[in-house]
């Protein structure tokens, strides 16, 4: 499955190791994740080398071509919020994962779109498990 | 003019006084701002009393009915990112304002949509001045 993994870049990287572990687990299952480099510690350097326009075009095209968008939303981010709206508008299924102790915008938690699911987790293992279960149970039709 | 003013709520309130001064200046010019209460210090309490679904429905309807969306994007926010994408999709003009020393997501700064403008400022007065100029020069057709 082609997964757009969305995570905070400019907004803050305190959950970087969570991003990395989720991405690594999904890659190990054989999924394709064009954004996998954005989970890495070098993400900021690599992104800085690209023009804002190039990043925008690249990311939007990846969203358009993905089977599903999985967003880690523990750390606020304009980019991730934008991508969630864009993906839903493009008819893509979206899973938002956040650590249990983090409050998430009501524009995400209150969104009635049936294509959007929001799940919390207390450990990275639980986040990974919920992502895998989601991919199995919600997306078997793809 | 009916202005949807978008600012971080759950994402962090360190720019609250900036939100308040921008909103006060635009209200003083006679504009309507249905979200004006979200700039106030009590925003968190008031919003907590509403269900996430009610907040989502209310905000989305306000975006649909506005003439223009003005977003303060110095503090990362999923909700504001979502609203920017939603507003552009609905064909609304969008102005994003951020303090000069804040880095903003490339999903905002790299977005080629001609309906989106991004401006930086160093003082609140400059932010207000840029908002007023934008409303005058870009939106005279409304």
């Amino acid at each position: 499955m082609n997964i757009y993994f969305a995570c905070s870049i400019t907004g803050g990287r305190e959950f970087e190791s969570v991003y990395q572990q989720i991405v690594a687990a999904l890659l190990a299952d054989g999924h394709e994740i064009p954004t996998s480099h954005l989970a890495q510690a070098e993400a900021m350097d690599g992104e800085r080398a690209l023009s804002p326009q190039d990043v925008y075009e690249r990311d939007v095209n990846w969203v358009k071509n993905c089977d599903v968008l999985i967003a880690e939303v523990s750390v606020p981010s304009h980019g991730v919020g934008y991508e969630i709206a864009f993906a839903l508008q493009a008819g893509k299924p979206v899973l938002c994962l956040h650590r249990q102790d983090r409050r998430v915008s009501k524009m995400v938690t209150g969104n009635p779109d049936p294509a959007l699911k929001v799940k919390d987790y207390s450990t990275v293992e639980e986040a990974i498990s919920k992502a895998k279960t989601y991919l199995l149970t919600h997306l078997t039709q793809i």
Side-chain angles (χ1 to χ4, degrees), chain A:
Chain A
M1 205 168 284
N2 186 306
I3 300 171
Y4 188 103
F5 180 77
C7 62
S8 169
I9 300 170
T10 313
R13 299 289 292 178
E14 62 177 296
F15 271 60
E16 188 171 86
S17 113
V18 174
Y19 307 153
Q20 289 171 0
Q21 292 174 74
I22 294 173
V23 163
L26 298 178
L27 287 174
D29 279 355
H31 299 294
E32 286 175 50
I33 308 181
T35 56
S36 62
H37 66 288
L38 300 180
Q40 304 309 312
E42 306 79 35
M44 296 294 288
D45 296 335
E47 295 300 281
R48 253 195 285 270
L50 295 171
S51 78
Q53 289 74 19
D54 287 346
V55 170
Y56 181 85
E57 286 301 328
R58 180 198 66 184
D59 289 2
V60 155
N61 281 325
W62 277 338
V63 173
K64 285 179 184 163
N65 291 313
C66 77
D67 296 313
V68 53
L69 183 144
I70 297 182
E72 211 296 337
V73 295
S74 299
V75 177
S77 156
H78 289 119
V80 173
Y82 186 97
E83 288 159 358
I84 291 169
F86 191 93
L88 291 173
Q89 186 61 44
K92 305 293 181 180
V94 173
L95 170 66
C96 290
L97 294 166
H98 67 92
R99 210 172 63 188
Q100 224 159 35
D101 59 345
R102 293 290 176 132
R103 285 194 307 128
V104 176
S105 169
K106 290 180 178 174
M107 297 306 287
V108 172
T109 59
N111 191 322
D113 192 321
L116 173 68
K117 303 289 175 203
V118 183
K119 305 276 182 196
D120 62 9
Y121 63 87
S122 50
T123 63
V124 181
E125 291 70 30
E126 193 185 349
I128 292 168
S129 163
K130 287 194 172 177
K132 289 186 178 190
T133 303
Y134 172 84
L135 292 171
L136 277 174
T137 57
H138 289 275
L139 302 171
T140 43
Q141 74 278 15
I142 292 174

